[in-house]
Coordinates of all heavy atoms in Angstrom, one line a residue:
M1 N 69.0 -104.8 8.9 CA 68.8 -104.0 10.1 C 69.7 -102.8 10.0 O 70.8 -102.9 9.6 CB 69.3 -104.9 11.3 CG 69.3 -104.2 12.6 SD 69.9 -105.1 14.0 CE 69.0 -106.8 13.9
S2 N 69.1 -101.6 10.4 CA 69.9 -100.5 10.3 C 70.3 -100.1 11.7 O 69.5 -100.0 12.7 CB 69.0 -99.3 9.9 OG 68.6 -99.4 8.6
K3 N 71.7 -99.9 12.0 CA 72.2 -99.8 13.3 C 72.9 -98.3 13.3 O 73.4 -97.8 12.3 CB 73.3 -100.7 13.6 CG 72.8 -102.1 13.6 CD 73.9 -103.1 14.0 CE 73.6 -104.5 14.0 NZ 74.7 -105.4 14.1
I4 N 72.7 -97.7 14.5 CA 73.4 -96.4 14.8 C 74.2 -96.6 16.1 O 73.9 -97.5 16.8 CB 72.4 -95.3 14.9 CG1 71.3 -95.5 16.0 CG2 71.7 -95.0 13.6 CD1 70.4 -94.4 16.3
I5 N 75.2 -95.8 16.2 CA 76.1 -95.8 17.3 C 75.9 -94.6 18.0 O 76.0 -93.4 17.4 CB 77.6 -95.9 16.9 CG1 77.9 -97.1 16.0 CG2 78.6 -96.0 18.2 CD1 77.6 -98.4 16.5
I6 N 75.6 -94.6 19.3 CA 75.4 -93.5 20.1 C 76.5 -93.4 21.3 O 76.7 -94.4 21.9 CB 74.0 -93.4 20.8 CG1 72.9 -93.4 19.7 CG2 73.7 -92.3 21.8 CD1 71.5 -93.6 20.2
T7 N 77.1 -92.3 21.3 CA 78.1 -92.1 22.4 C 77.7 -90.9 23.3 O 77.1 -89.9 22.8 CB 79.5 -91.9 21.9 OG1 79.5 -90.7 21.0 CG2 80.0 -93.0 21.2
I8 N 77.9 -91.1 24.6 CA 77.5 -90.0 25.6 C 78.8 -89.8 26.5 O 79.3 -90.7 27.0 CB 76.3 -90.5 26.4 CG1 75.2 -90.8 25.5 CG2 76.0 -89.4 27.4 CD1 73.9 -91.3 26.2
V9 N 79.2 -88.6 26.6 CA 80.3 -88.2 27.5 C 79.9 -87.0 28.2 O 79.4 -86.0 27.7 CB 81.5 -87.9 26.6 CG1 82.7 -87.5 27.5 CG2 81.9 -89.2 25.8
G10 N 80.4 -86.9 29.5 CA 80.1 -85.8 30.3 C 80.2 -86.0 31.8 O 80.6 -87.1 32.2
Q11 N 79.8 -85.0 32.6 CA 79.9 -85.1 34.0 C 78.8 -86.0 34.4 O 77.7 -85.9 33.9 CB 79.7 -83.7 34.6 CG 79.9 -83.5 36.1 CD 81.3 -83.2 36.4 OE1 81.9 -82.6 35.6 NE2 81.7 -83.4 37.7
D12 N 79.1 -86.9 35.3 CA 78.1 -87.9 35.8 C 77.0 -87.2 36.5 O 77.3 -86.3 37.3 CB 78.8 -89.0 36.7 CG 77.8 -90.1 36.9 OD1 76.9 -90.4 36.1 OD2 77.9 -90.7 38.1
R13 N 75.7 -87.7 36.3 CA 74.6 -87.1 37.1 C 73.5 -88.0 36.9 O 73.5 -88.9 36.1 CB 74.2 -85.6 36.4 CG 73.7 -85.6 35.0 CD 73.5 -84.3 34.5 NE 74.8 -83.6 34.4 CZ 75.2 -82.4 34.8 NH1 74.3 -81.7 35.4 NH2 76.4 -82.0 34.6
V14 N 72.5 -87.9 37.8 CA 71.3 -88.7 37.8 C 70.5 -88.5 36.5 O 70.3 -87.4 36.1 CB 70.4 -88.4 39.0 CG1 69.1 -89.3 38.9 CG2 71.2 -88.7 40.3
G15 N 70.1 -89.6 35.9 CA 69.1 -89.5 34.7 C 69.7 -89.7 33.4 O 68.9 -89.6 32.4
I16 N 71.0 -89.7 33.2 CA 71.6 -89.7 31.8 C 71.1 -91.0 31.0 O 70.5 -90.8 30.1 CB 73.1 -89.7 31.9 CG1 73.6 -88.4 32.5 CG2 73.6 -89.9 30.4 CD1 75.1 -88.4 32.8
V17 N 71.2 -92.1 31.7 CA 70.8 -93.4 31.1 C 69.3 -93.4 30.9 O 68.8 -93.7 29.8 CB 71.3 -94.6 31.8 CG1 70.8 -95.8 31.2 CG2 72.8 -94.6 31.9
A18 N 68.5 -93.1 31.9 CA 67.1 -93.1 31.8 C 66.5 -92.3 30.8 O 65.7 -92.7 29.9 CB 66.5 -92.7 33.2
K19 N 67.0 -91.0 30.7 CA 66.4 -90.0 29.7 C 66.8 -90.5 28.3 O 65.9 -90.4 27.4 CB 66.9 -88.7 30.0 CG 66.2 -88.1 31.2 CD 66.7 -86.7 31.6 CE 66.0 -86.3 32.8 NZ 66.3 -85.0 33.3
T20 N 68.0 -90.9 28.1 CA 68.4 -91.4 26.8 C 67.6 -92.6 26.3 O 67.1 -92.7 25.2 CB 70.0 -91.6 26.7 OG1 70.6 -90.5 27.2 CG2 70.4 -92.0 25.3
C21 N 67.6 -93.6 27.2 CA 66.8 -94.9 26.9 C 65.4 -94.6 26.6 O 64.8 -95.2 25.8 CB 67.1 -95.9 28.0 SG 68.7 -96.4 28.0
N22 N 64.8 -93.7 27.5 CA 63.3 -93.3 27.3 C 63.2 -92.8 25.9 O 62.1 -93.1 25.3 CB 62.8 -92.4 28.4 CG 62.6 -93.1 29.7 OD1 62.4 -94.4 29.7 ND2 62.7 -92.4 30.8
Y23 N 64.1 -91.9 25.5 CA 63.9 -91.3 24.2 C 63.9 -92.4 23.1 O 63.0 -92.4 22.2 CB 65.0 -90.2 24.0 CG 64.9 -89.8 22.5 CD1 64.2 -88.7 22.1 CD2 65.7 -90.3 21.4 CE1 64.0 -88.3 20.8 CE2 65.7 -89.9 20.1 CZ 64.9 -88.9 19.8 OH 64.7 -88.5 18.5
L24 N 64.9 -93.2 23.1 CA 65.0 -94.4 22.2 C 63.7 -95.2 22.2 O 63.2 -95.5 21.1 CB 66.2 -95.1 22.4 CG 67.6 -94.4 22.3 CD1 68.7 -95.4 22.8 CD2 67.8 -94.0 20.9
A25 N 63.2 -95.6 23.4 CA 62.0 -96.5 23.4 C 60.8 -95.7 22.9 O 60.1 -96.3 22.2 CB 61.8 -96.8 24.9
D26 N 60.7 -94.5 23.2 CA 59.5 -93.6 22.7 C 59.4 -93.5 21.2 O 58.4 -93.3 20.6 CB 59.6 -92.2 23.3 CG 59.3 -92.2 24.8 OD1 58.8 -93.2 25.3 OD2 59.6 -91.1 25.4
H27 N 60.6 -93.8 20.6 CA 60.6 -93.6 19.0 C 61.0 -95.0 18.4 O 61.6 -95.0 17.3 CB 61.6 -92.5 18.7 CG 61.2 -91.2 19.2 ND1 60.1 -90.5 18.7 CD2 61.6 -90.4 20.3 CE1 59.9 -89.4 19.3 NE2 60.7 -89.4 20.4
N28 N 60.8 -96.1 19.1 CA 60.8 -97.4 18.6 C 62.2 -97.9 18.1 O 62.4 -98.6 17.2 CB 59.8 -97.6 17.4 CG 58.5 -97.3 17.7 OD1 58.0 -97.7 18.7 ND2 57.7 -96.6 16.9
M29 N 63.2 -97.4 18.9 CA 64.6 -97.8 18.7 C 65.0 -98.8 19.8 O 64.7 -98.5 21.0 CB 65.5 -96.7 18.6 CG 65.2 -95.9 17.4 SD 66.3 -94.4 17.3 CE 65.2 -93.2 18.1
N30 N 65.6 -99.9 19.4 CA 66.0 -101.0 20.3 C 67.5 -101.0 20.6 O 68.3 -101.0 19.7 CB 65.6 -102.3 19.8 CG 65.8 -103.5 20.7 OD1 65.6 -103.3 22.0 ND2 66.3 -104.6 20.3
I31 N 67.9 -101.0 21.8 CA 69.3 -101.1 22.2 C 69.7 -102.5 22.0 O 69.2 -103.5 22.7 CB 69.5 -100.6 23.7 CG1 69.1 -99.1 23.8 CG2 71.0 -100.8 24.1 CD1 69.0 -98.5 25.1
L32 N 70.8 -102.7 21.3 CA 71.3 -104.1 21.0 C 72.5 -104.3 21.9 O 72.7 -105.5 22.3 CB 71.8 -104.2 19.5 CG 70.7 -103.9 18.5 CD1 71.3 -103.9 17.1 CD2 69.6 -105.0 18.6
D33 N 73.3 -103.3 22.2 CA 74.5 -103.5 23.1 C 74.7 -102.1 23.7 O 74.4 -101.1 23.2 CB 75.7 -103.9 22.3 CG 76.6 -104.7 23.2 OD1 76.6 -104.7 24.4 OD2 77.6 -105.1 22.5
I34 N 75.2 -102.2 25.0 CA 75.4 -101.0 25.7 C 76.6 -101.2 26.7 O 76.8 -102.3 27.3 CB 74.1 -100.6 26.5 CG1 74.3 -99.2 27.2 CG2 73.7 -101.6 27.5 CD1 73.1 -98.7 27.7
T35 N 77.4 -100.2 26.9 CA 78.5 -100.3 27.7 C 78.7 -98.8 28.4 O 78.5 -97.9 27.7 CB 79.8 -100.8 27.2 OG1 80.8 -100.8 28.2 CG2 80.3 -99.8 26.1
Q36 N 79.0 -98.9 29.6 CA 79.3 -97.5 30.3 C 80.4 -97.6 31.3 O 80.6 -98.7 31.8 CB 78.0 -96.9 30.9 CG 77.7 -97.6 32.2 CD 76.5 -96.9 32.9 OE1 75.5 -96.5 32.3 NE2 76.7 -96.8 34.2
T37 N 81.1 -96.5 31.5 CA 82.1 -96.5 32.6 C 81.9 -95.1 33.2 O 81.5 -94.2 32.6 CB 83.5 -96.6 32.0 OG1 83.7 -95.7 31.0 CG2 83.7 -98.0 31.5
I38 N 82.3 -95.0 34.5 CA 82.4 -93.8 35.2 C 83.8 -93.7 35.8 O 84.2 -94.6 36.5 CB 81.3 -93.7 36.3 CG1 79.9 -93.8 35.6 CG2 81.5 -92.5 37.1 CD1 78.8 -93.9 36.6
L39 N 84.6 -92.8 35.4 CA 85.9 -92.6 35.8 C 85.9 -91.2 36.8 O 85.6 -90.3 36.2 CB 86.9 -92.4 34.7 CG 87.1 -93.6 33.8 CD1 87.9 -93.2 32.6 CD2 87.7 -94.7 34.6
Q40 N 86.0 -91.5 38.0 CA 85.9 -90.5 39.0 C 84.4 -89.8 38.8 O 83.4 -90.6 38.8 CB 86.9 -89.4 39.0 CG 88.3 -90.1 39.3 CD 89.5 -89.1 39.3 OE1 89.3 -87.9 39.1 NE2 90.6 -89.6 39.6
E41 N 84.3 -88.5 38.3 CA 83.0 -88.1 38.1 C 82.6 -88.0 36.7 O 81.6 -87.3 36.3 CB 82.9 -86.6 38.8 CG 83.7 -85.5 38.1 CD 85.1 -85.4 38.7 OE1 85.5 -86.3 39.5 OE2 85.7 -84.5 38.4
Y42 N 83.3 -88.6 35.8 CA 83.1 -88.5 34.4 C 82.4 -89.7 33.9 O 82.8 -90.9 34.1 CB 84.3 -88.2 33.6 CG 84.9 -86.9 34.0 CD1 86.0 -86.8 34.9 CD2 84.4 -85.7 33.5 CE1 86.5 -85.6 35.3 CE2 84.8 -84.5 34.0 CZ 85.9 -84.4 34.9 OH 86.5 -83.2 35.3
F43 N 81.3 -89.5 33.2 CA 80.4 -90.6 32.6 C 80.8 -90.8 31.0 O 80.9 -89.8 30.3 CB 79.0 -90.1 32.7 CG 77.9 -91.1 32.1 CD1 77.5 -92.2 33.0 CD2 77.5 -91.0 30.8 CE1 76.6 -93.0 32.4 CE2 76.6 -91.9 30.3 CZ 76.1 -92.9 31.1
N44 N 80.8 -92.0 30.6 CA 81.1 -92.4 29.2 C 80.2 -93.6 28.9 O 80.3 -94.6 29.6 CB 82.5 -92.7 29.0 CG 82.9 -92.9 27.6 OD1 82.0 -92.7 26.6 ND2 84.2 -93.4 27.3
M45 N 79.4 -93.5 27.9 CA 78.5 -94.6 27.5 C 78.5 -94.7 26.0 O 78.6 -93.8 25.2 CB 77.1 -94.4 28.0 CG 76.2 -95.6 27.7 SD 74.7 -95.6 28.6 CE 73.8 -94.2 27.7
M46 N 78.5 -96.0 25.5 CA 78.3 -96.2 24.1 C 77.2 -97.3 23.8 O 77.2 -98.3 24.6 CB 79.7 -96.8 23.5 CG 79.7 -97.1 22.0 SD 81.4 -97.5 21.5 CE 81.1 -97.8 19.9
M47 N 76.4 -97.1 22.9 CA 75.3 -98.0 22.5 C 75.3 -98.3 21.1 O 75.5 -97.4 20.3 CB 74.0 -97.3 23.0 CG 73.8 -97.1 24.3 SD 72.0 -96.5 24.7 CE 72.3 -94.8 24.4
I48 N 74.9 -99.6 20.8 CA 74.6 -99.9 19.4 C 73.0 -100.1 19.4 O 72.5 -100.8 20.3 CB 75.3 -101.2 19.0 CG1 76.8 -101.0 19.1 CG2 74.9 -101.7 17.6 CD1 77.6 -102.3 18.8
V49 N 72.4 -99.4 18.5 CA 71.0 -99.2 18.6 C 70.4 -99.7 17.1 O 70.9 -99.4 16.1 CB 70.5 -97.8 18.8 CG1 69.1 -97.6 18.7 CG2 71.0 -97.4 20.2
D50 N 69.3 -100.4 17.2 CA 68.6 -100.9 16.0 C 67.7 -99.8 15.7 O 66.7 -99.4 16.4 CB 67.9 -102.1 16.2 CG 67.1 -102.6 14.9 OD1 67.2 -101.9 13.9 OD2 66.4 -103.7 15.0
Y51 N 67.9 -99.2 14.5 CA 67.1 -98.0 14.1 C 66.0 -98.3 13.0 O 65.2 -97.5 12.6 CB 68.2 -97.0 13.4 CG 67.5 -95.8 12.8 CD1 67.0 -94.8 13.6 CD2 67.4 -95.7 11.4 CE1 66.5 -93.6 13.0 CE2 66.9 -94.5 10.8 CZ 66.4 -93.4 11.6 OH 65.9 -92.4 11.0
S52 N 66.0 -99.6 12.7 CA 65.1 -100.1 11.7 C 63.7 -99.6 11.7 O 63.0 -99.3 10.7 CB 65.1 -101.6 11.6 OG 66.4 -102.1 11.3
N53 N 63.1 -99.6 13.0 CA 61.6 -99.3 13.1 C 61.4 -97.9 13.8 O 60.3 -97.6 14.1 CB 61.0 -100.3 14.0 CG 61.1 -101.7 13.5 OD1 60.8 -101.9 12.2 ND2 61.4 -102.7 14.2
A54 N 62.4 -97.0 13.7 CA 62.3 -95.7 14.2 C 61.2 -95.0 13.5 O 60.9 -95.1 12.2 CB 63.6 -95.0 14.1
D55 N 60.5 -94.1 14.3 CA 59.4 -93.3 13.7 C 59.9 -91.9 13.4 O 59.1 -91.0 13.1 CB 58.2 -93.2 14.6 CG 58.5 -92.6 16.0 OD1 59.7 -92.2 16.2 OD2 57.6 -92.6 16.9
K56 N 61.2 -91.7 13.3 CA 61.8 -90.4 13.0 C 62.9 -90.6 12.0 O 63.5 -91.7 12.0 CB 62.4 -89.6 14.2 CG 61.3 -89.1 15.1 CD 61.9 -88.2 16.2 CE 60.9 -87.4 16.9 NZ 61.4 -86.1 17.3
E57 N 63.1 -89.6 11.3 CA 64.3 -89.6 10.3 C 65.6 -89.5 11.1 O 65.6 -89.0 12.1 CB 64.2 -88.5 9.3 CG 63.0 -88.5 8.4 CD 63.0 -89.7 7.4 OE1 64.1 -90.0 6.9 OE2 62.0 -90.3 7.1
F58 N 66.7 -90.1 10.4 CA 67.9 -90.2 11.2 C 68.4 -88.7 11.6 O 68.8 -88.5 12.7 CB 69.0 -90.8 10.2 CG 70.4 -90.7 10.8 CD1 70.7 -91.6 11.9 CD2 71.4 -89.9 10.4 CE1 72.0 -91.6 12.4 CE2 72.7 -89.8 11.0 CZ 72.9 -90.7 12.0
G59 N 68.2 -87.7 10.7 CA 68.7 -86.3 11.0 C 67.9 -85.8 12.2 O 68.5 -85.1 13.0
E60 N 66.6 -86.1 12.4 CA 65.8 -85.6 13.4 C 66.3 -86.3 14.8 O 66.4 -85.6 15.8 CB 64.4 -86.0 13.2 CG 63.6 -85.3 12.2 CD 62.2 -85.8 12.1 OE1 62.0 -86.8 11.4 OE2 61.3 -85.1 12.6
V61 N 66.7 -87.6 14.7 CA 67.2 -88.3 15.9 C 68.6 -87.6 16.4 O 68.7 -87.4 17.5 CB 67.4 -89.8 15.6 CG1 68.2 -90.4 16.7 CG2 66.1 -90.5 15.3
V62 N 69.4 -87.3 15.4 CA 70.6 -86.7 15.6 C 70.5 -85.3 16.4 O 71.0 -85.0 17.4 CB 71.5 -86.5 14.5 CG1 72.7 -85.6 14.8 CG2 72.0 -87.8 13.8
D63 N 69.5 -84.5 15.8 CA 69.2 -83.2 16.4 C 68.5 -83.4 17.8 O 68.9 -82.6 18.7 CB 68.2 -82.5 15.6 CG 68.9 -82.0 14.2 OD1 70.2 -82.0 14.1 OD2 68.2 -81.6 13.3
D64 N 67.6 -84.3 17.9 CA 66.9 -84.5 19.2 C 68.0 -85.0 20.3 O 67.9 -84.4 21.4 CB 65.8 -85.6 19.1 CG 64.6 -85.1 18.3 OD1 64.5 -83.8 18.0 OD2 63.8 -86.0 18.0
L65 N 68.8 -85.9 19.9 CA 69.8 -86.3 20.9 C 70.8 -85.3 21.3 O 71.2 -85.2 22.5 CB 70.5 -87.6 20.5 CG 69.6 -88.8 20.5 CD1 70.3 -89.9 19.8 CD2 69.1 -89.3 21.9
D66 N 71.2 -84.4 20.3 CA 72.0 -83.3 20.6 C 71.3 -82.3 21.6 O 72.0 -81.9 22.7 CB 72.4 -82.5 19.3 CG 73.5 -81.5 19.5 OD1 74.4 -81.8 20.2 OD2 73.2 -80.4 19.1
K67 N 70.0 -82.1 21.3 CA 69.3 -81.2 22.3 C 69.1 -81.8 23.7 O 69.3 -81.2 24.7 CB 68.0 -80.8 21.7 CG 68.0 -79.9 20.6 CD 66.7 -79.7 19.9 CE 66.8 -78.9 18.6 NZ 65.6 -78.9 17.9
L68 N 68.8 -83.1 23.7 CA 68.7 -83.8 25.0 C 70.0 -83.8 25.8 O 70.0 -83.5 26.9 CB 68.4 -85.2 24.7 CG 68.2 -86.2 26.0 CD1 67.1 -85.6 26.9 CD2 68.0 -87.6 25.6
G69 N 71.1 -84.0 25.0 CA 72.4 -83.9 25.7 C 72.7 -82.5 26.4 O 73.1 -82.4 27.5
E70 N 72.3 -81.4 25.7 CA 72.5 -80.1 26.2 C 71.6 -79.9 27.4 O 72.0 -79.3 28.4 CB 72.0 -79.0 25.1 CG 73.0 -78.9 24.0 CD 72.6 -77.9 23.0 OE1 71.7 -77.1 23.3 OE2 73.1 -77.9 21.9
E71 N 70.3 -80.5 27.4 CA 69.4 -80.4 28.6 C 70.0 -81.0 29.8 O 69.8 -80.5 30.9 CB 68.1 -81.0 28.2 CG 67.2 -80.2 27.2 CD 66.1 -81.0 26.8 OE1 65.6 -81.9 27.5 OE2 65.5 -80.6 25.7
I72 N 70.7 -82.2 29.5 CA 71.1 -82.9 30.8 C 72.6 -82.7 31.1 O 73.2 -83.4 32.0 CB 70.7 -84.4 30.7 CG1 71.3 -85.1 29.5 CG2 69.2 -84.6 30.7 CD1 71.0 -86.6 29.3
G73 N 73.2 -81.9 30.2 CA 74.6 -81.5 30.5 C 75.7 -82.5 30.0 O 76.8 -82.6 30.7
V74 N 75.4 -83.2 29.0 CA 76.4 -84.3 28.4 C 76.4 -84.0 27.0 O 75.6 -83.2 26.4 CB 76.1 -85.6 28.8 CG1 76.1 -85.9 30.2 CG2 74.7 -86.1 28.2
R75 N 77.4 -84.6 26.4 CA 77.5 -84.5 24.8 C 77.1 -85.9 24.3 O 77.6 -86.9 24.6 CB 78.9 -84.3 24.5 CG 79.1 -84.1 23.0 CD 80.5 -83.6 22.6 NE 80.5 -83.6 21.1 CZ 81.7 -83.3 20.5 NH1 82.8 -83.1 21.2 NH2 81.6 -83.2 19.2
I76 N 75.9 -85.9 23.5 CA 75.5 -87.0 22.9 C 75.7 -87.0 21.4 O 75.2 -86.0 20.8 CB 74.0 -87.3 23.1 CG1 73.7 -87.3 24.6 CG2 73.4 -88.6 22.4 CD1 72.2 -87.4 25.0
R77 N 76.4 -88.0 20.8 CA 76.7 -88.0 19.4 C 76.1 -89.3 18.8 O 76.1 -90.4 19.5 CB 78.2 -87.9 19.1 CG 78.7 -86.6 19.6 CD 78.1 -85.4 18.6 NE 78.5 -84.1 19.1 CZ 77.7 -83.2 19.6 NH1 76.5 -83.6 19.9 NH2 78.1 -82.0 20.0
C78 N 75.6 -89.3 17.6 CA 74.9 -90.3 17.0 C 75.5 -90.4 15.5 O 75.6 -89.5 14.8 CB 73.4 -90.1 16.9 SG 72.4 -91.3 16.2
Q79 N 75.8 -91.6 15.1 CA 76.4 -91.9 13.7 C 75.8 -93.2 13.3 O 75.5 -94.1 14.0 CB 77.9 -92.0 13.8 CG 78.7 -90.8 14.1 CD 80.2 -91.1 14.1 OE1 80.6 -92.0 14.7 NE2 80.9 -90.3 13.3
R80 N 75.7 -93.3 12.0 CA 75.3 -94.5 11.3 C 76.4 -95.5 11.6 O 77.6 -95.1 11.5 CB 75.0 -94.4 9.9 CG 73.8 -93.4 9.6 CD 73.6 -93.4 8.1 NE 72.6 -92.3 7.8 CZ 71.4 -92.5 7.7 NH1 70.8 -93.6 8.1 NH2 70.6 -91.5 7.4
E81 N 76.1 -96.8 11.7 CA 77.2 -97.9 12.0 C 78.2 -97.8 10.9 O 79.3 -98.0 11.3 CB 76.5 -99.1 12.2 CG 77.5 -100.2 12.5 CD 77.0 -101.7 12.3 OE1 76.1 -101.9 11.5 OE2 77.4 -102.5 13.2
E82 N 77.8 -97.8 9.6 CA 78.8 -97.9 8.6 C 79.8 -96.8 8.5 O 81.0 -97.0 8.3 CB 78.1 -98.1 7.2 CG 77.2 -96.9 6.8 CD 75.7 -97.2 7.2 OE1 75.4 -97.9 8.1 OE2 74.9 -96.3 6.7
I83 N 79.3 -95.6 8.9 CA 80.2 -94.4 8.9 C 81.2 -94.6 10.2 O 82.4 -94.4 10.1 CB 79.4 -93.2 9.1 CG1 78.5 -92.9 8.0 CG2 80.4 -92.0 9.2 CD1 79.2 -92.8 6.6
F84 N 80.6 -95.0 11.3 CA 81.4 -95.2 12.5 C 82.6 -96.3 12.3 O 83.7 -96.0 12.6 CB 80.6 -95.7 13.6 CG 81.3 -95.8 15.0 CD1 81.4 -94.7 15.8 CD2 81.8 -97.0 15.3 CE1 82.2 -94.9 17.0 CE2 82.4 -97.2 16.5 CZ 82.6 -96.1 17.4
T85 N 82.1 -97.4 11.7 CA 83.1 -98.5 11.3 C 84.2 -98.0 10.4 O 85.3 -98.3 10.7 CB 82.3 -99.7 10.7 OG1 81.3 -100.1 11.6 CG2 83.2 -100.8 10.4
K86 N 83.9 -97.3 9.4 CA 84.9 -96.8 8.5 C 85.8 -95.8 9.1 O 87.0 -95.8 8.8 CB 84.2 -96.2 7.2 CG 83.7 -97.2 6.3 CD 83.0 -96.7 5.1 CE 82.5 -97.8 4.3 NZ 81.8 -97.4 3.1
M87 N 85.3 -94.9 10.0 CA 86.1 -93.9 10.6 C 87.0 -94.6 11.6 O 88.1 -94.0 12.0 CB 85.2 -92.9 11.4 CG 84.5 -92.0 10.4 SD 83.4 -90.8 11.4 CE 84.6 -90.0 12.5
H88 N 86.7 -95.8 12.2 CA 87.5 -96.3 13.3 C 88.3 -97.6 12.9 O 88.7 -98.4 13.7 CB 86.6 -96.7 14.5 CG 86.1 -95.4 15.1 ND1 84.9 -94.7 14.7 CD2 86.6 -94.5 16.1 CE1 84.8 -93.7 15.4 NE2 85.8 -93.5 16.2
R89 N 88.5 -97.8 11.6 CA 89.3 -98.9 11.2 C 90.7 -98.6 11.4 O 91.3 -97.6 11.3 CB 89.1 -99.0 9.6 CG 88.2 -100.2 9.2 CD 88.3 -100.4 7.8 NE 86.9 -101.0 7.5 CZ 86.4 -100.9 6.3 NH1 87.0 -100.4 5.3 NH2 85.2 -101.4 6.1
V90 N 91.4 -99.7 11.8 CA 92.8 -99.6 12.1 C 93.6 -100.1 10.9 O 93.3 -101.0 10.2 CB 93.3 -100.4 13.3 CG1 94.7 -100.5 13.5 CG2 92.5 -100.0 14.6

């Protein structure tokens, strides 16, 4: 299974979760775990996503999510799980 980590940070607004999840579903990616918090007006979400059956290359997904984030006014970042894990080791 190929996993990616997606983080979303920004001003809370309607549609952030829906638009992100619709993009993932449209491209055959399954959300394995998801957490979100809203602190005052700030939105923060992290997802672990199964990328195994995606119909796009990883680089395209990164670019698409970056553009989607710009459209909806948040910052969306996507990393391969192994890179994320190595970067966040204590």
Side-chain angles (χ1 to χ4, degrees):
M1 180 182 312
S2 295
K3 295 179 188 174
I4 57 176
I5 309 297
I6 297 172
T7 56
I8 304 173
V9 177
Q11 191 91 20
D12 189 30
R13 64 189 69 230
V14 173
I16 297 170
V17 176
K19 289 179 182 179
T20 305
C21 291
N22 283 336
Y23 173 84
L24 297 174
D26 289 346
H27 297 288
N28 301 318
M29 291 177 266
N30 186 39
I31 298 168
L32 302 173
D33 202 354
I34 187 171
T35 183
Q36 78 171 41
T37 56
I38 299 171
L39 298 171
Q40 295 180 6
E41 68 270 9
Y42 298 100
F43 178 88
N44 186 8
M45 183 166 72
M46 182 173 175
M47 293 186 276
I48 300 172
V49 175
D50 179 3
Y51 174 76
S52 301
N53 297 315
D55 63 2
K56 289 193 166 209
E57 295 294 324
F58 177 74
E60 289 178 281
V61 172
V62 171
D63 291 343
D64 288 351
L65 288 174
D66 188 47
K67 288 176 190 167
L68 177 62
E70 288 178 20
E71 289 172 19
I72 59 178
V74 296
R75 183 173 179 186
I76 303 177
R77 294 295 172 249
C78 182
Q79 291 181 306
R80 294 182 192 275
E81 180 193 38
E82 59 271 15
I83 302 297
F84 183 88
T85 301
K86 288 180 182 179
M87 287 177 59
H88 294 91
R89 258 191 209 154
V90 176

